Amino acid sequence: MNDYCREKFGKKLYKLSLDGGFTCPNRDGKKGTGGCIFCSASGSGDFAEAGSDINIQIEKAKARVSGKIKDGGFIAYFQSFTSTYAPTEKLEALFSEAVNHPDIDVLSVATRPDCLSDDTVELLGRLNTVKPVWVELGLQTVKKESIDYINRCYENEEYESAVKRLHEKGIYVITHIILGLPGENREDMKNTLLFAIKNKTDGVKLQLLHILKDSRLYEEYLKENVRTLEKDEYIALLRELIPLIPEDTAVHRLTGDGNKKTLVSPLWSADKKSVLNSINKMIKELTENKEYIFRPIEKEEIPMMFDIIQSRVKWMDEVGIKQWNVTNYAEVYPLGYFEEHRKNGEVFVLTEKKSGEIVAAAVLKKEDDRWESVPDYKTVSALYLHNFAVRLDKKGTGKIFLRLAEEYAKEKGIECFRLDSADDNKKLEAYYTEKGYKEKGSCVDGLYTGILREKRLNGKQSGALQLN
């Protein structure tokens, strides 16, 4: 969103949350009562200003964010409840007041697809000729069972119609999607995102499910019928969904800020700095992944891999590391060894997308007798990393190879990724520990003594939510 705003408006824009005094057809009995099951008593407008005078609300909201404004502009965001659920005359008075405010660059209206009459769309279209209008639609999910469960009270076809009619007026559409609804798996959440993309949404808001004390979902939570995502689960889910979003679709949210006064779960979401750091790290990794290709090795590339290994052996001599250089590596692992494992589909390389050059390589064995002493050696599916070598002039590509190898294992339904490291290499020990590899035992192979390490990839989740 920030990039989009800077490109379109030449500056950063800050949202000013406003309350137009609306309710919702899902609360007043027209469509239902009680509202959507996840919605707070304030209609998801926990941080919105209140009052009958929109100009005063805008000034109060500006004062709240004044400490972080740096030559930016403002979005008048009608956030609370359903912000088009009123006669057109009332909407025109409220929205026009916001649009005509000299400090407002964009009017943004949060609403339901079934609360956009032709007259309302016509009004928004007229306002869009004065200043840009964004309409935020609460889709949340497209799964029938979930729609009924959350008490959404409108059909997916109404969302499709709303997006089409808004686009006909040149109005920018943002789609809200909740991740982690009870009973939904990755495919369900992916289907919702792809549905919004298929309908050419201009922006998306991905929001993790919150449990708030003043929501109906809280009652289900107390009965232990609902669990929320752990942070690592949520980051892993975002990692899978973000690449599906087209480059011309702006991401307006990747997390959420529940009101700390009423937030029950997940409590980790309240630590915004930690959450953003984790998301930014994940996005950096996704960007790095785009620059490389992880694939099986070709037969003619084996000598190239062997050269990388030999340069590593020489480097170990130079820096005083005792591992591959404690024996004649070429005799123990000749070219024929790598060719045999290549035929078994067990040798992989990481190549630069632009140059095609190999920057890292390894053997990923399906079995490893070094692990026979570990109790679950035969009962758990695993890949075993061996002969892992990275080009000396390509620092940092080792972690990318390892990350993509883990993702490859996940895709194959493998439960564990396993490796070993020299017991006297403290730097490597710290590196693998930081990457989530836990010590499982030790092994001895000739003059080499190693520590066996394991990372679980696809552990089963308990509770109402199943992610696998």
Side-chain angles (χ1 to χ4, degrees):
M1 174 192 173
N2 187 39
D3 292 340
Y4 169 78
C5 290
R6 290 186 183 278
E7 289 174 11
K8 185 169 180 63
F9 302 99
K11 57 187 173 182
K12 184 180 180 71
L13 296 186
Y14 297 84
K15 274 194 169 180
L16 306 178
S17 294
L18 309 175
D19 186 345
F22 303 102
T23 183
C24 175
N26 203 6
R27 288 176 180 264
D28 67 4
K30 183 175 181 180
K31 284 286 187 79
T33 57
C36 293
I37 195 170
F38 54 81
C39 197
S40 68
S42 63
S44 296
D46 299 276
F47 306 109
E49 296 295 335
S52 58
D53 191 308
I54 294 300
N55 281 311
I56 293 176
Q57 284 195 46
I58 289 173
E59 293 306 320
K60 286 182 177 179
K62 282 169 58 183
R64 287 182 65 180
V65 299
S66 61
K68 56 184 179 181
I69 298 294
K70 293 181 180 179
D71 301 322
F74 298 101
I75 300 167
Y77 180 33
F78 285 85
Q79 181 180 19
S80 302
F81 297 99
T82 302
S83 293
T84 58
Y85 189 48
T88 309
E89 295 77 14
K90 178 182 178 179
L91 299 180
E92 184 165 11
L94 289 172
F95 297 160
S96 295
E97 196 170 357
V99 165
N100 291 325
H101 191 290
D103 294 337
I104 295 300
D105 294 279
V106 174
L107 169 67
S108 187
V109 180
T111 189
R112 294 165 54 94
D114 58 343
C115 291
L116 286 165
S117 68
D118 290 342
D119 286 345
T120 298
V121 173
E122 187 68 31
L123 166 65
L124 295 172
R126 291 200 307 272
L127 293 171
N128 193 48
T129 65
V130 181
K131 286 181 181 176
V133 173
W134 298 352
V135 173
E136 306 199 15
L137 298 177
L139 177 63
Q140 319 307 359
T141 180
V142 295
K143 185 177 180 180
K144 180 64 170 67
E145 293 82 359
S146 298
I147 292 169
D148 294 340
Y149 178 80
I150 66 175
N151 195 40
R152 197 183 72 180
C153 294
Y154 76 80
E155 300 301 322
N156 292 330
E157 290 75 14
E158 293 178 86
Y159 167 86
E160 293 178 293
S161 172
V163 174
K164 182 180 179 181
R165 290 185 296 122
L166 290 167
H167 278 164
E168 287 172 351
K169 297 295 182 181
I171 294 171
Y172 184 94
V173 176
I174 303 163
T175 302
H176 290 229
I177 296 169
I178 293 179
L179 303 179
L181 288 170
E184 292 206 351
N185 57 31
R186 279 191 176 92
E187 285 304 308
D188 296 325
M189 292 178 259
K190 186 186 295 185
N191 288 339
T192 298
L193 176 59
L194 292 176
F195 179 80
I197 291 170
K198 177 185 175 184
N199 282 279
K200 303 189 184 323
T201 185
D202 301 290
V204 292
K205 278 188 172 181
L206 302 181
Q207 167 76 55
L208 75 157
L209 180 70
H210 285 108
I211 309 294
L212 303 173
K213 282 184 180 179
D214 54 358
S215 70
R216 293 169 60 199
L217 192 61
Y218 179 55
E219 300 170 13
E220 294 296 304
Y221 181 78
L222 291 177
K223 297 174 186 175
E224 299 185 350
N225 292 333
V226 181
R227 81 169 186 87
T228 54
L229 296 170
E230 298 296 335
K231 186 168 81 167
D232 59 344
E233 290 179 289
Y234 188 67
I235 299 299
L237 183 58
L238 289 180
R239 176 189 290 275
E240 188 170 336
L241 296 180
I242 288 173
L244 302 177
I245 302 172
E247 291 188 5
D248 59 353
T249 302
V251 178
H252 288 249
R253 176 181 289 166
L254 286 175
T255 179
D257 298 308
N259 190 331
K260 292 181 181 179
K261 294 179 181 178
T262 58
L263 178 66
V264 177
S265 181
L267 294 178
W268 59 262
S269 66
D271 187 351
K272 188 172 182 179
K273 184 176 180 180
S274 173
V275 175
L276 290 178
N277 285 342
S278 296
I279 288 175
N280 288 334
K281 179 183 177 184
M282 178 269 294
I283 290 175
K284 181 183 177 183
E285 291 174 354
L286 282 176
T287 303
E288 290 175 340
N289 290 358
K290 283 185 176 181
E291 299 173 3
Y292 297 91
I293 297 173
F294 177 84
R295 60 171 175 79
I297 197 170
E298 301 289 342
K299 182 176 182 178
E300 62 272 15
E301 293 173 329
I302 288 178
M304 302 174 200
M305 176 182 180
F306 200 73
D307 288 343
I308 294 173
I309 291 173
Q310 290 294 81
S311 66
R312 276 290 171 183
V313 172
K314 183 179 178 182
W315 171 80
M316 289 175 184
D317 285 332
E318 293 171 353
V319 299
I321 293 176
K322 294 182 179 180
Q323 189 166 340
W324 292 352
N325 53 348
V326 296
T327 185
N328 189 327
Y329 195 91
E331 287 186 4
V332 179
Y333 301 104
L335 287 174
Y337 162 87
F338 295 101
E339 172 58 17
E340 179 184 347
H341 284 287
R342 183 197 71 80
K343 290 179 179 178
N344 292 333
E346 296 179 322
V347 187
F348 291 82
V349 293
L350 185 72
T351 63
E352 288 182 337
K353 190 169 286 186
K354 286 184 178 180
S355 67
E357 293 181 353
I358 296 174
V359 296
V363 176
L364 300 181
K365 293 184 177 180
K366 300 179 181 72
E367 295 182 353
D368 185 354
D369 56 13
R370 290 180 178 180
W371 284 75
E372 286 183 339
S373 62
V374 177
D376 61 1
Y377 171 60
K378 289 292 187 181
T379 59
V380 174
S381 61
L383 276 185
Y384 300 85
L385 181 77
H386 281 278
N387 313 99
F388 182 30
V390 179
R391 268 179 48 175
L392 291 168
D393 61 339
K394 297 295 180 180
K395 187 177 180 180
T397 53
K399 69 176 183 179
I400 299 172
F401 181 99
L402 195 62
R403 185 166 66 235
L404 293 177
E406 291 170 3
E407 291 179 10
Y408 166 80
K410 284 182 185 179
E411 291 171 3
K412 297 296 183 183
I414 291 169
E415 297 170 85
C416 296
F417 200 87
R418 290 170 168 172
L419 49 82
D420 57 82
S421 61
D423 64 349
D424 59 351
N425 191 334
K426 298 301 179 184
K427 186 175 180 179
L428 194 58
E429 177 182 345
Y431 175 81
Y432 284 132
T433 299
E434 189 271 332
K435 295 299 179 187
Y437 286 84
K438 299 183 183 299
E439 186 173 338
K440 296 291 288 184
S442 61
C443 65
V444 177
D445 188 356
L447 299 174
Y448 170 73
T449 302
I451 299 173
L452 302 177
R453 300 183 181 281
E454 172 188 277
K455 185 174 186 178
R456 292 276 169 162
L457 301 175
N458 286 325
K460 295 290 184 183
Q461 306 296 334
S462 61
L465 179 70
Q466 182 66 43
L467 280 182
N468 290 323

